[in-house]
Every structure is written in C-alpha cells, then in structure tokens.
C-alpha cells in the first residue's frame, strides 16, 4: 500500500469517514481488512521541537529509551524555521503520549508528540 493511501485510510477511519457496513468504494477491501484483522498498527503523528541540522524524510528519527535511543518511525515531511522543527511521522499506534524523540544526525535535538485531532480506537 502506498504511503498516501495508508494515511488516508487511517485518517478517514479515525474521523468516522468510512462505513464498514454498507456500500462499495475504492479501497474498501483493503480498509476493511485493516480494521477487522487488526492490521493497522501505525498512525500519523505530529512532532515538534528543535534541531540544528536540516531534516528530510531520509533523516533517522529515534525514540528515547531508558538504555539509550532506538530508530523509530518514518519521517514524511518536515518544516524548519530558525531552529524550530515541525514534522509528520508514521509511528506505532502504541507510542506513549509523553515519548521523547530526536534526530539521529543531531544528538542535541529534542522532539515531542503533539496532540492528535482524533482518537485511535483499539
């Protein structure tokens, strides 16, 4: 599944934009399988913080753990203005709201999750 299709499926489902019980629409089979088989283990998140290096989708996002940092998620887009960084990333659904991230290429960077405008149902 392409990244854009995946993002649309997750967002439409979270905003009740899809009915799983009626009608046919493009991608219905894929979306229904994701819902009923529990295949949707990732969601789109917004992260905000600071970084002194230029961040691109190829940059490595790392999650802070007690024993250090571990690569986590995929950066989709990033905007930087005067050291402030705002980015979207696909992360596991069970990512803690208070998780702290950094950009691997900038060990001093620090990013936090921003509240989502929708709730992910289990």
């Amino acid at each position: 599944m392409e990244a854009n299709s995946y993002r649309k499926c997750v967002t439409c489902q979270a905003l009740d934009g899809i009915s799983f019980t009626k009608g046919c629409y493009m991608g219905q089979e894929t979306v229904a399988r994701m819902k009923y088989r529990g295949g949707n283990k990732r969601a789109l998140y917004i992260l905000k913080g600071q970084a002194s290096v230029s961040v691109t989708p190829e940059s490595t996002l790392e999650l802070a753990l007690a024993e250090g940092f571990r690569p986590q998620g995929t950066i989709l887009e990033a905007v930087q203005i005067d050291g402030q960084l705002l980015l979207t990333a696909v992360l596991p659904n069970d990512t803690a709201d208070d998780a702290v991230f950094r950009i691997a290429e900038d060990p001093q960077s620090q990013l936090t999750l921003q509240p989502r405008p929708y709730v992910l149902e289990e």
Side-chain angles (χ1 to χ4, degrees), residues 4 12 15 17 21 24-25 30 38-39 47 51 53 58 60 63 69 72 75 77 84-85 97 103 108 110:
N4 287 338
C12 288
L15 298 175
T21 58
C24 292
Y25 55 87
T30 302
L47 291 88
V53 298
E58 289 77 32
T60 303
L63 172 64
F69 286 86
Q72 183 82 39
I75 298 172
E77 297 177 300
Q84 293 295 313
L85 173 63
D97 290 337
I103 303 300
Q108 301 305 313
Q110 186 170 344

Side-chain angles (χ1 to χ4, degrees), residues 28-40:
Q28 179 177 7
E29 182 179 335
T30 302
V31 173
R33 283 185 183 175
M34 293 293 280
K35 174 156 176 84
Y36 293 119
R37 292 187 179 179
N40 183 17

